[in-house]
Amino acid sequence: MRTRSSRRRTPHTPRRTAAVALAGVAALVAAAVQSGAAQAAPVKPRPGGIDRAHTAALLTPSQRVALIRHADAAKAATARSLGLGAKEKLVVKDVVKDNDGTLHTRYERTYAGLPVLGGDLIVDSNKAGKTMEVARATRAALKVARLTPAVPRAAAEKQAVRRAKARGGTRSAADSVRTVIWAASGRPVLAYETVVGGLQDDGTPNRLHVITDATTGKKLYEYQAIETGVGNTRYSGQVSLTTTRSGSAYTLTDGTRGGHKTYNLSHGTSGTGTLFSQSSDTWGDGTNSNAATAGADAHYGAQETWDFYKNTFGRSGIRNDGVGAYSRVHYGNSYVNAFWDDSCFCMTYGDGSNNNDPLTALDVAGHEMSHGVTSNTAGLEYSGESGGLNEATSDIMGTGVEFYANNASDPGDYLIGEKININGDGTPLRYMDKPSKDGLSADSWYDGVGDLDVHYSSGVANHFFYLLSEGSGAKVINGVDYDSPTADGLPVTGIGRDKALQIWYRALTTKFTSTTDYADARTGTLAAAGELYGASSAEYKAVQDAWAAVAVGSRSDGGGGGGGGGTTYESSTPVAIPDNGPAVTSTITVSGRSGNAPAGLRVGVDISHTWRGDLVIDLVGPSGTVHRLKSFSSSDSADDVKQTYTVDASAEPADGTWTLRVQDQATYDTGTINGWKLTFP
């Protein structure tokens, strides 16, 4: 969780490719990315009810280990069945088993023994062992010309240390440098991954990962791996805590939830500090002067987060292995932040400005531990649109924890960090109903939203989740006023928070990969909604409408972002886009409409491409007038163009031939016009 006082814009880095090849999911939801309803699971017999066959089975730790062991034994055969090359090997990361026997096996990859970053994939197989679907973080063929770096390792380390210092770091050497295959930005290349530790300029631990091309020395990517974020508590009142008695003393050790422990760092910044221990089993007094107060808040937050995941999704701990993380409070001095760190499998809380407001509120605890869940499932890269989805997942699940706890002192709401007074004026850190109320976050998707800090680009998914849960417009929930707008000006009817959480969690654990972007998230959540509630269900349509309301894809009635309804004309004939070649075209003929086209003509484009910055896209009207939809951009390295543009075509006759013209203006990448549509409001 990033606080307003520590937020800063980082220097621009090329956006990574978000190339999720949801092979099976794409087939599952057909034209889900831009069009209306598609075929997924059959309609369920009980409208509105969840299909338990497509929810995760509750596994014991030993059952999960057995599934992972079985997948590991079969990984060579799986690699062959997927057509992977002789130098590629699979590494099992996790297995999710549905109640109907379907297995979702998540793999990392190696190439010639080197880790492949951005090469993760998910294989779905039925109970007979037949592969049904494959979701890949990249579609690019995994092949590099050479395996011997041309750039010295020391040069990559020097570059990474320089980048860390630009972010406030003080280390003069890296913690580690390793040779990898970088596959998350289009064409795979031999690279170095350098990790620089130390502290950032606000006191947050540093785990800066810098990816350097091992042939050219060019920096390809960077991301920060620290993901920010009876007890008498400060924020939740008097609560029951699960503790452990040892002799005459009690400790903040939760033996019923994987052995979770809460430690007092006493303003240190390293190690675990001291385990909270005392002769009485009453912890804290609700004030900052008692160190155990923050300990009680953190322990309670971990307890409620564990129970939320277990009772809502059947998940046993952050890794789903029954093992608890640990918490550290009183980090640093006046440290205005909280963070999750994979390297220690722990969460850490500062005490806020002047050590007056510890960041141990319930939704903050849920937020930080959910970073751990994301790391152990989709592994969403903490940069670009995938980083926004990573942050939003923690906001979404942290909100879920707050509602689940049903604590009268901290009732559930769609405000993030409202208890910790980071801004100093009583306002929350973030708003899910209208993210832009914080002055920085995005309400809706736009080309370039992934260039924002991930705590601001997360607004798109946060807004989607609020709309899916509660719907648009003005309302009061638990005494809080909300008034959620939509990008297309059309209303959204919510399906309830419980269903929205189930859809998001299933997408996170069985559809999303490390490079998932917002278009992919739409596809994944639609697939999840189809499996849980049916492709003809109100829930499925609500997912379409909520995404369209944040300018991602089309409405369930076929309307595009920027408007809804109306009459749609569509071409679904694929057209190949040659690499750095001549422009190609696809046409739609409109007839029977009198007068001119509207000022708000919507043009929905669905193009697959491994480096969309190469593309120039134009709409050519019946009169021959060219309307530029997208210009060339050498810095836009993301995949695909799945977007609805609004064009002022009021000077064009409505009837006639409309042409989509696409040209690839740089080498190395190819693509396909999958289809496009015109919608007249």
Side-chain angles (χ1 to χ4, degrees):
M1 172 172 286
R2 257 291 180 60
T3 68
R4 189 177 301 278
S5 61
S6 65
R7 285 171 170 165
R8 57 198 179 278
R9 293 297 299 273
T10 56
H12 177 78
T13 56
R15 296 180 63 201
R16 88 287 176 272
T17 302
V20 178
L22 290 167
V25 175
L28 183 70
V29 300
V33 174
Q34 286 290 343
S35 61
Q39 295 303 310
V43 178
K44 305 300 177 288
R46 182 167 62 86
I50 195 169
D51 184 355
R52 295 295 173 187
H54 294 300
T55 58
L58 182 59
L59 303 174
T60 65
S62 61
Q63 288 172 327
R64 176 176 172 272
V65 169
L67 287 173
I68 291 175
R69 187 184 302 119
H70 177 78
D72 188 67
K75 63 186 179 184
T78 301
R80 289 193 297 271
S81 71
L82 296 177
L84 302 187
K87 295 181 179 180
E88 298 178 61
K89 295 186 184 302
L90 295 175
V91 179
V92 181
K93 181 178 180 182
D94 195 16
V95 180
V96 174
K97 183 178 182 179
D98 290 350
N99 286 310
D100 68 354
T102 300
L103 294 178
H104 309 273
T105 307
R106 190 179 290 274
Y107 298 94
E108 305 287 356
R109 268 193 285 180
T110 63
Y111 178 85
L114 299 175
V116 180
L117 307 184
D120 51 301
L121 50 88
I122 307 167
V123 177
D124 294 352
S125 56
N126 61 21
K127 59 184 178 182
K130 180 180 179 182
T131 297
M132 300 183 297
E133 300 164 10
V134 181
R136 303 173 187 263
T138 179
R139 286 190 293 269
L142 193 52
K143 184 178 181 180
V144 297
R146 57 185 296 169
L147 291 171
T148 302
V151 173
R153 180 180 297 253
E157 179 179 12
K158 183 177 179 180
Q159 179 188 70
V161 169
R162 186 169 60 249
R163 289 295 306 127
K165 287 184 176 179
R167 289 181 166 212
T170 57
R171 289 283 179 89
S172 58
D175 287 5
S176 64
V177 185
R178 64 173 181 168
T179 307
V180 300
I181 303 298
W182 176 249
S185 298
R187 185 165 52 90
V189 297
L190 185 70
Y192 290 114
E193 180 191 34
T194 307
V195 182
V196 184
L199 297 175
Q200 299 177 51
D201 57 5
D202 65 350
T204 304
N206 196 45
R207 298 285 187 278
L208 183 67
H209 291 238
V210 179
I211 310 299
T212 305
D213 191 313
T215 301
T216 66
K218 177 183 177 182
K219 182 176 74 68
L220 300 173
Y221 189 74
E222 68 180 54
Y223 73 94
Q224 180 57 255
I226 298 295
E227 299 171 354
T228 61
V230 173
N232 293 306
T233 69
R234 170 74 183 276
Y235 303 112
S236 298
Q238 190 173 84
V239 298
S240 296
L241 299 178
T242 303
T243 61
T244 297
R245 184 171 182 172
S246 177
S248 61
Y250 294 89
T251 65
L252 284 184
T253 302
D254 191 339
T256 67
R257 297 176 178 86
H260 176 275
K261 299 177 186 295
T262 301
Y263 294 89
N264 182 3
L265 279 172
S266 299
H267 305 297
T269 58
S270 62
T272 57
T274 304
L275 179 65
F276 277 99
S277 176
Q278 59 186 43
S279 60
S280 167
D281 203 16
T282 299
W283 303 86
D285 60 6
T287 70
N288 292 337
S289 60
N290 188 320
T293 297
D297 268 305
H299 205 69
Y300 174 66
Q303 174 178 300
E304 292 302 307
T305 301
W306 179 287
D307 289 352
F308 164 74
Y309 274 102
K310 182 176 181 179
N311 296 327
T312 306
F313 309 118
R315 187 176 189 86
S316 181
I318 287 173
R319 285 192 299 243
N320 202 23
D321 61 357
V323 177
Y326 66 87
S327 299
R328 306 184 302 174
V329 299
H330 302 305
Y331 173 90
N333 189 40
S334 295
Y335 177 66
V336 191
N337 220 327
F339 58 88
W340 169 265
D341 186 351
D342 276 327
S343 67
C344 66
F345 197 61
C346 70
M347 52 189 304
T348 303
Y349 304 90
D351 284 332
S353 181
N354 298 316
N355 295 322
N356 284 332
D357 296 290
L359 277 82
T360 49
L362 190 56
D363 59 348
V364 177
H367 174 107
E368 299 306 339
M369 284 190 280
S370 292
H371 276 308
V373 173
T374 296
S375 176
N376 285 278
T377 54
L380 291 160
E381 292 175 356
Y382 205 57
S383 182
E385 291 187 21
S386 61
L389 285 163
N390 189 319
E391 266 300 307
T393 295
S394 283
D395 282 351
I396 288 167
M397 294 304 174
T399 296
V401 169
E402 194 176 70
F403 274 100
Y404 171 85
N406 196 26
N407 185 298
S409 297
D410 188 6
D413 54 50
Y414 293 93
L415 310 174
I416 307 301
E418 74 282 356
K419 286 280 189 177
I420 53 181
N421 195 29
I422 282 179
N423 300 325
D425 57 5
T427 60
L429 182 60
R430 287 189 286 278
Y431 305 78
M432 299 183 83
D433 66 317
K434 188 178 180 183
S436 62
K437 284 197 290 187
D438 69 8
L440 294 163
S441 292
D443 286 337
S444 303
W445 187 90
Y446 60 87
D447 192 8
V449 73
D451 293 327
L452 297 177
D453 182 284
V454 295
H455 299 84
Y456 310 147
S457 61
S458 63
V460 179
N462 280 342
H463 194 191
F464 159 80
F465 179 79
Y466 175 87
L467 289 168
L468 183 62
S469 299
E470 305 293 348
S472 58
K475 52 182 61 68
V476 179
I477 303 168
N478 283 351
V480 179
D481 293 322
Y482 301 96
D483 192 358
S484 191
T486 61
D488 55 11
L490 297 174
V492 172
T493 300
I495 60 174
R497 184 179 55 263
D498 291 345
K499 291 180 179 179
L501 283 167
Q502 291 293 340
I503 290 169
W504 192 267
Y505 179 79
R506 182 162 182 83
L508 177 75
T509 54
T510 69
K511 315 299 178 194
F512 293 176
T513 69
S514 62
T515 58
T516 293
D517 63 8
Y518 277 119
D520 302 323
R522 181 183 187 273
T523 303
T525 51
L526 278 173
E531 291 168 355
L532 295 175
Y533 301 103
S536 299
S537 65
E539 291 80 6
Y540 187 94
K541 293 177 181 178
V543 172
Q544 290 177 297
D545 292 344
W547 277 122
V550 296
V552 182
S554 303
R555 287 265 176 172
S556 58
D557 61 4
T567 302
T568 298
Y569 303 82
E570 184 170 6
S571 170
S572 58
T573 303
V575 178
I577 305 170
D579 182 30
N580 197 23
V584 295
T585 60
S586 176
T587 61
I588 292 174
T589 300
V590 175
S591 61
R593 302 189 71 91
S594 59
N596 284 358
L601 180 68
R602 298 193 299 277
V603 186
V605 178
D606 180 357
I607 294 175
S608 297
H609 198 273
T610 50
W611 193 289
R612 71 183 181 201
D614 293 356
L615 299 180
V616 174
I617 306 173
D618 294 315
L619 175 70
V620 183
S623 70
T625 301
V626 177
H627 306 269
R628 176 59 50 89
L629 303 180
K630 179 190 175 301
S631 299
F632 177 90
S633 173
S634 60
S635 64
D636 185 1
S637 62
D639 266 4
D640 307 334
V641 180
K642 301 178 187 299
Q643 185 173 349
T644 298
Y645 302 89
T646 300
V647 173
D648 182 356
S650 57
E652 296 277 356
D655 281 357
T657 298
W658 296 80
T659 302
L660 186 73
R661 187 172 67 194
V662 181
Q663 185 177 22
D664 183 320
Q665 295 188 347
T667 55
Y668 299 124
D669 296 89
T670 60
T672 303
I673 302 174
N674 300 313
W676 68 292
K677 63 179 67 175
L678 293 172
T679 300
F680 290 75

